[in-house]
Amino acid sequence: MEKKHQDMNRRQFLKRLGLGAGSAMALMAMEPLSAFADDKKGAIQNRMTYRVQHGSGEQISLLGFGMMRLPNNQEEVNRLVDYAIEHGVNYFDTAPMYMGGQSEVLMGNALSRHPREKYYVATKMSNQNRRLWSFDESKRMYETSFEKLKVDHLDYYLLHSIGGGMNSLKGRFLDNGILEFLLNERKEGRIKHLGFSYHGDVRDFDYLLDHQDEYHWDFCQIQMNFLDWRHASMRGGRRSDADAEYLYQKCEKAGVQCVVMEPLRGGAFGRMAQELTDQLKAVHPDDSTARWAFRWVGSYTNILTALSGMNRMDHLEENIKTFSPLDPCTEQENKLLAEIADQMSGFPTIPCTTCQYCMPCPYGVNIPANFAYYNEAVNEHILPLPDPTAANYQERKQLFIEGYKKALPDEATWAKKCQDCEECLSKCPQQIRINNQMARIVETLRVRR
């Protein structure tokens, strides 16, 4: 009876993807879609959805655990990791720069308590700072990851955040010989799968994939969600060259599987304007916007895993339910999400995903908190302010000012402390002109007498 139920789930999945009989049989043979694990309470059974890594045949959980923001408490991290592994999550993603290096330590301590075959470790060459561009400094970062993660091999290793332009790409990875070193490390088995994560200048992305015959990338990590699918081309006043649709399709054509970051766009989908949320609730009253976003991403078959930063148990539990098993979006649901994306693209929000790469600010500005409140004011229709001659101008402006002071009670973190030093600009994966946006906030807060 259990086998029959599992096969029915697979057939339903394939039918929703619109695959023909021949393609369906091929995909079913390639991709075992669910595994069963008893819940501690015995109340439910979880059926995590898996994707198969090309070449190795490894089964990777479609829900990946992104560990950029963790509780700075080993016991709590252990609890989250234990629950994730127990319920089928086996892909864990970190980087040397996350939490000032503590993420790798916390993750290594938590995972090393489990059998090595239970999990796949992903970390990165985070040598964005120019002082780390030398071969020796980059190699030291690579070797330190082994120590912190307590492993003798890295399952997934990434060139971190390429997209700073060809000079940056050459300086960080090509001219210093570090990419050649990493390719040899993969050959020797200390790296199982080699890839890169992309933000920014699409010429870097194109260069690496256009040299697939030379590098043989195993995967590529891209930002992909139902808004960025066709609306990533304008970010914070600076034009980006590629939407997620282009990135995904180029990877698929090259035979490179995708790891997805920011499927919830830094939590922005949880803070959508109420009228947009209401459209989703009209279809599935009990589903969160996060569930919608994950279902949309998981519907694409070239996705190996979708990362979620789950630093709270309730988020982890909800996301596991979404992927156990995945219920792909229907054609009608995809159409609705595309319409909502069109509407969201008209909102003048700042495309910050709260990744905190821009922090710390040398002048103490809390950049993500400033942007988070600004976007909240936009979604609640406090901003943009009407014409100063409008009857409700002063009322709306006062609401913005009062809300800003509550959101950022420490004046030392306010936008007005920005000194326009531009140190943060090269660090921002979204290419936001941060100093310009801070000036907008300052202008909005200004009280004219």
Side-chain angles (χ1 to χ4, degrees), residues 207-225:
Y207 176 87
L208 293 181
L209 281 187
D210 288 344
H211 287 76
Q212 175 66 357
D213 289 344
E214 178 181 354
Y215 299 133
H216 302 288
W217 302 111
D218 299 298
F219 68 107
C220 173
Q221 187 164 306
I222 60 173
Q223 179 168 315
M224 179 172 155
N225 51 67

Side-chain angles (χ1 to χ4, degrees), residues 293-340:
F294 281 130
R295 289 178 58 228
W296 181 88
V297 165
S299 300
Y300 287 86
T301 57
N302 196 48
I303 301 302
L304 182 66
T305 190
L307 301 175
S308 177
M310 300 172 286
N311 55 10
R312 286 171 37 182
M313 185 59 76
D314 58 332
H315 290 167
L316 176 59
E317 291 171 345
E318 179 184 354
N319 292 350
I320 285 173
K321 288 178 182 177
T322 297
F323 285 91
S324 301
L326 175 78
D327 179 21
C329 286
T330 65
E331 182 178 348
Q332 195 61 34
E333 288 170 336
N334 281 332
K335 182 179 179 182
L336 173 60
L337 289 171
E339 291 171 354
I340 288 176

